[in-house]
Amino acid sequence: MILDADGKPCRACNSMTDFMKTAGAGGSGSGSGAAAGARPATPPPSPPATSASAASPGATPAGEAAPVPLECPPDLLEIGRGTWTFLHTAAAYYPKDPSPQHRADMTNLVSILGRLFPCGDCASHLTEYAAAHPPDTSSRTSISQWFCEMHNDVNVRLGKPVFDCARVLERWRDGPADGSC
Ligand SMILES: Cc1cc2nc3c(=O)[nH]c(=O)nc-3n(C[C@H](O)[C@H](O)[C@H](O)COP(=O)(O)OP(=O)(O)OC[C@H]3O[C@@H](n4cnc5c(N)ncnc54)[C@H](O)[C@@H]3O)c2cc1C
C-alpha cells in the first residue's frame, strides 16, 4: 500500500482493490466507517453507474466483482487510463510540422506531468525517463513514438504487454483499416 504525503493510503497511487483492502481494515485515514461510505455494497440504481475502473473493483463476499459507483474518487488504474488517453491523443493530433510554441508547449506538458501527476512514484519515474530520453517534439510521429515508448517503459515495469509502436496512430487517431471503430 503506497501512502500519500500525509502518510495516509493514497487512492491515486493504488488500485481500488488494494485501497479498499486497507480502508476496510480501518486504514482509510478518513475515520472509521469510511470504507462503507466510500464504496457502497450495491451500486446506485440509476443509471447503472460503472466507470473505467469497474474492471478492478474489490470482490463481493461471494467472490463476484461488484461494479464501482461512477462517482467514487479515481484509483491509479482509472487515472492512468485517462491520462494515457489524453497524452496519446494529444500526440496524435500534434502538428506534423510544429511551431516553436507547439514544441515548447509539449516539452512543458511532459515537465508539468512529472510534477503534478497525482501518483508521486509514477511522476518520479516519468521525470527520470524524460531526463534519460528527452521528448522528441519535432513532429507528430516523433512525439507519438516517444509517448508510446515511455508508456512501454511503464508497461514493462508493471509486467504488462509491450505495445507495437508502429500502430500508435492507428490506436489513437486513425482507427483500424477494417472500419471496426
Ligand atoms: C505517466 C504515467 C505513469 C504511470 N506510472 C505507473 C507506475 O509507476 N505504477 C503503476 O502501477 N501504474 C502507473 N501508471 C498507470 C498504468 O500505466 C496504467 O494506466 C494502469 O495500470 C491501467 O492499465 P491498463 O492495463 O488499463 O492500460 P493502460 O496502460 O492504462 O493503457 C491504456 C490503453 O493504452 C494502449 N496502450 C498500451 N500501451 C501503449 C503504448 N505503449 N503506447 C500507446 N498505447 C498503448 C492500450 O490500448 C491500452 O488499453 C502510470 C500512468 C501514467 C499516465
Side-chain angles (χ1 to χ4, degrees):
M1 170 58 60
I2 298 170
L3 305 180
D4 65 19
D6 301 324
K8 296 177 180 170
C10 172
R11 287 180 186 271
C13 316
N14 295 284
S15 69
M16 184 72 86
T17 306
D18 288 345
F19 178 84
M20 293 311 297
K21 275 185 204 155
T22 301
S28 74
S30 306
S32 62
R39 189 174 187 289
T42 53
S46 177
T50 56
S51 69
S53 63
S56 60
T60 63
E64 296 163 11
V68 174
L70 183 61
E71 296 193 359
C72 281
D75 66 355
L76 175 55
L77 279 65
E78 186 174 353
I79 294 168
R81 287 174 197 133
T83 304
W84 288 125
T85 295
F86 168 70
L87 293 175
H88 290 303
T89 309
Y93 285 83
Y94 186 76
K96 290 180 178 173
D97 185 15
S99 67
Q101 185 64 54
H102 274 117
R103 296 188 66 168
D105 288 346
M106 187 55 86
T107 302
N108 286 338
L109 173 63
V110 173
S111 302
I112 290 166
L113 194 65
R115 293 196 292 276
L116 292 184
F117 193 71
C119 158
D121 283 353
C122 310
S124 299
H125 283 303
L126 167 61
T127 300
E128 285 166 20
Y129 183 90
H133 310 88
D136 182 348
T137 61
S138 59
S139 70
R140 175 184 301 163
T141 303
S142 67
I143 196 64
S144 293
Q145 291 301 305
W146 187 85
F147 276 115
C148 185
E149 286 160 18
M150 196 259 278
H151 192 165
N152 274 338
D153 185 69
V154 177
N155 288 341
V156 168
R157 209 155 25 79
L158 300 182
K160 294 178 190 259
V162 169
F163 187 90
D164 176 4
C165 290
R167 296 184 47 230
V168 73
L169 289 177
E170 174 191 315
R171 169 66 178 90
W172 294 105
R173 184 179 169 119
D174 301 330
D178 65 8
S180 57
C181 289

